[in-house]
Amino acid sequence: MSIIEARGLSKSFLQAVKEPGLKGALKHLLVPRNITKIAVQPLDLSIEAGETVAYVGPNGAGKSTTIKMLSGILMPSAGSISVNGINPYKKRMENAAQIGAVFGQRTQLWWDIPIVESFSLLKDIYQIPEPVYRTNLDQFIELLGMSEFIHLSARKLSLGQRMRADLAAALLHNPPIVYLDEPTIGLDVSVKQKIREFIKKINQEQHTTVMLTTHDLGDIEDLCKRLIIIDHGSIIYDGSLSEVKSRFAKSRVIFFQVGSPMPELYEQLAQTDGMKLELQSEQEFSVSFDRYEYTASDVVSRVMRHGEVIDFRMEDANIEQVIKAVYDGNLVLNQSGQ
Ligand SMILES: Nc1ncnc2c1ncn2[C@@H]1O[C@H](COP(=O)(O)OP(=O)(O)O)[C@@H](O)[C@H]1O
Ligand SMILES: [Mg+2]
């Protein structure tokens, strides 16, 4: 059995339908009207111990709702979950001992006490043995560069400092599973780097299973071998990152900078199968094309027939384009990635 297993897992919320203004509010009070909002459609998940999985999708796709159900914060509307053999919602205490969770949008630290005191409270709550606590604390302070702010209260920390402290807090008790929901949101590059290094290290050294939600494609490339894409509450791709990339590598992109706009070319490309135009500005555009149908020189010579080309460059597929293509339905993949 996988360390994280979900079968037919789904969640709907009742949402109030209110007309705007005071009148609407009063009307709702008298005759409440609700609609059912499906945040997660019945889905299946199996994650093996030691995996690092990126769980990605557009805003509102259902990522946080899934993570909250897996971590026992939310009760599923239907379906079953087993995390390390435990139903996380029914056995919340037992579950808390085996997971760490970081929600980028809000802290789990006590707002008004020094970080190091928060850590010490967690030591008591999780009954972390003294030597384990000492070793972890020293290592985390070093790896995450926390020494200069560990004596400040959470209230006084910058976002980057707070996120590092939150990450450390979530892992002090050596949980075998960690859920990270947007842990790098709004952080600068150097802090992101520290956080990524840290996650990589605990995954490699402790075999910690990591499920990560992020909009940062660098996080995914750096940390995750497996990619799960969710859209409108359903999983639309679950497979290896390298596979989705190599599949996407079927198409290539050339960026052009031209002397003046080329309306006839744009029209022509719109009608050509296997080529797709994207305008960046008046004098810049990109053409993506199927490399098995056309060569780069086919594309370049076609553009040059319509006017002056000042510059062009070719780019390999990056993960951003891959995900966009999956969202846009331009890259059709089934769940097993075949
Ligand atoms: N407590 C809630 N009550 C009502 N609707 C909710 C609640 N939480 C989430 N939703 C809705 O469920 C959908 C999925 O939300 P969420 O899981 O937060 O998405 P994501 O994390 O992928 O951005 C959204 O449409 C959101 O508005
Ligand atoms: Mg979210």
Side-chain angles (χ1 to χ4, degrees):
M1 194 163 167
S2 313
I3 196 163
I4 300 174
E5 286 242 354
R7 291 287 165 263
L9 180 64
S10 72
K11 181 75 192 177
S12 337
F13 293 105
L14 221 50
Q15 274 181 352
V17 183
K18 274 189 229 165
E19 287 163 39
L22 180 64
K23 203 172 146 201
L26 287 173
K27 205 166 146 193
H28 183 75
L29 211 61
L30 297 172
V31 195
R33 238 174 20 105
N34 296 307
I35 52 158
T36 306
K37 163 94 206 165
I38 301 172
V40 174
Q41 314 250 19
L43 59 80
D44 296 338
L45 266 180
S46 301
I47 294 173
E48 303 304 321
E51 271 196 293
T52 43
V53 178
Y55 194 53
V56 307
N59 285 330
K63 304 179 296 292
S64 296
T65 305
T66 312
I67 303 269
K68 284 178 192 160
M69 289 192 284
L70 295 178
S71 55
I73 298 169
L74 267 182
M75 185 169 81
S77 303
S80 64
I81 309 176
S82 154
V83 177
N84 229 353
I86 290 176
N87 176 331
Y89 190 76
K90 291 218 171 107
K91 299 202 168 159
R92 298 178 69 154
M93 292 300 282
E94 268 174 67
N95 186 57
Q98 61 170 7
I99 68 159
V102 174
F103 293 91
Q105 317 282 8
R106 62 166 203 259
T107 184
Q108 297 177 89
L109 299 161
W110 287 267
W111 206 233
D112 288 309
I113 62 174
I115 297 303
V116 70
E117 299 292 330
S118 278
F119 289 168
S120 162
L121 280 170
L122 289 168
K123 171 179 182 270
D124 296 339
I125 291 171
Y126 288 110
Q127 299 178 343
I128 307 170
E130 178 67 27
V132 175
Y133 176 73
R134 270 285 129 220
T135 313
N136 282 352
L137 187 63
D138 291 347
Q139 203 193 22
F140 294 1
I141 288 175
E142 154 111 40
L143 289 172
L144 291 165
M146 296 193 295
S147 54
E148 80 263 32
F149 59 82
I150 194 128
H151 296 289
L152 299 178
S153 60
R155 173 190 296 287
K156 294 196 177 129
L157 303 188
S158 70
L159 181 63
Q161 293 172 332
R162 206 265 287 151
M163 207 68 92
R164 280 178 276 169
D166 254 310
L167 192 58
L171 289 159
L172 275 174
H173 61 296
N174 286 342
I177 298 150
V178 54
Y179 303 111
L180 306 170
D181 192 358
E182 312 261 8
T184 57
I185 198 161
L187 304 185
D188 64 45
V189 180
S190 70
V191 177
K192 269 184 193 168
Q193 204 51 43
K194 271 206 177 72
I195 288 183
R196 286 179 195 162
E197 290 298 320
F198 181 75
I199 296 169
K200 221 182 271 179
K201 201 171 161 80
I202 56 136
N203 169 254
Q204 279 163 3
E205 289 180 4
Q206 319 231 17
H207 212 56
T208 308
T209 309
V210 180
M211 189 162 173
L212 169 76
T213 289
T214 183
H215 282 285
D216 190 303
L217 303 160
D219 289 348
I220 304 172
E221 295 252 32
D222 236 24
L223 293 171
C224 304
K225 290 198 179 69
R226 176 169 165 202
L227 179 67
I228 299 178
I229 305 179
I230 179 175
D231 195 14
H232 298 295
S234 298
I235 291 175
I236 57 170
Y237 177 75
D238 181 352
S240 78
L241 180 62
S242 59
E243 189 180 326
V244 79
K245 279 174 84 177
S246 72
R247 223 164 246 271
F248 187 74
K250 234 175 55 172
S251 85
R252 300 183 105 167
V253 189
I254 305 180
F255 290 85
F256 289 94
Q257 198 191 341
V258 293
S260 54
M262 300 176 170
E264 309 88 45
L265 172 78
Y266 305 158
E267 218 163 280
Q268 212 187 74
L269 287 178
Q271 284 155 18
T272 311
D273 281 342
M275 285 201 200
K276 196 165 162 262
L277 172 90
E278 223 168 283
L279 292 172
Q280 325 278 327
S281 70
E282 282 262 287
Q283 286 159 292
E284 281 172 314
F285 57 85
S286 67
V287 179
S288 31
F289 60 99
D290 186 329
R291 66 195 284 188
Y292 299 113
E293 251 181 272
Y294 302 98
T295 64
S297 64
D298 288 340
V299 178
V300 175
S301 58
R302 191 189 277 234
V303 174
M304 284 170 77
R305 259 181 265 140
H306 289 269
E308 185 198 3
V309 171
I310 296 170
D311 197 8
F312 68 88
R313 73 190 148 85
M314 189 140 77
E315 254 182 32
D316 279 336
N318 63 26
I319 183 64
E320 189 158 6
Q321 292 162 328
V322 174
I323 290 174
K324 188 167 179 299
V326 177
Y327 290 172
D328 292 349
N330 294 335
L331 189 68
V332 181
L333 296 155
N334 66 21
Q335 291 230 11
S336 63
Q338 265 132 44

